Amino acid sequence: MSRITFELPERFVFATEMQIYISHVNQGGHLDNAQLLTLVSEARVRFFRWLGYTEGNVAGCPIVVGDLVAQYKSEAFHGETLRVDMVPADFNRYGFDLVFRMAETSQGREVARGKVGVVFVNKADRKVAPVPEAFQQRLRETTPTARPTAG
């Protein structure tokens, strides 16, 4: 079976830090893969909050996760602090990818990288909706390297 490889962008526009709690660790003594996704989800919530939104209302539309890719680079352990860097990329009509890199802060050891596919939905019928223009404008103001173009 071929391995997933994922190239990172040159720049990120958002960063947050979080500690690995004992509840994040599996019986092997390292960060559990399901808990890694929980940490990425928390970072995603913080990204939208940084822009002034909640995931239930991003410029009038809720969002959902359409897909997720994660490539593990090293183990992470209880008590370590992780920095999660993020940048929106690969915009399409209905969403974009939120690219992430997770690294242990004291040594800079990369733990994981990947992307979360964000999709906008219509509140009324829960079907896909175009990326709101107000959100694209907010990204242009806040994250000039993100280049939102949801054509």
Side-chain angles (χ1 to χ4, degrees), residues 100-121:
F100 70 88
R101 173 185 57 208
M102 182 179 285
E104 189 277 329
T105 57
S106 69
Q107 299 172 357
R109 180 185 76 253
E110 187 177 3
V111 172
R113 60 174 63 180
K115 65 180 183 169
V116 178
V118 174
V119 179
F120 289 85
V121 295

Side-chain angles (χ1 to χ4, degrees), residues 17-48:
E17 292 185 358
M18 50 191 92
Q19 188 173 8
I20 299 177
Y21 298 127
I22 196 65
S23 60
H24 296 132
V25 176
N26 62 22
Q27 291 185 0
H30 57 249
L31 178 62
D32 184 82
N33 60 14
Q35 295 303 316
L36 178 129
L37 300 181
T38 298
L39 294 174
V40 170
S41 293
E42 174 65 24
R44 186 188 68 242
V45 168
R46 293 179 186 186
F47 169 79
F48 280 104

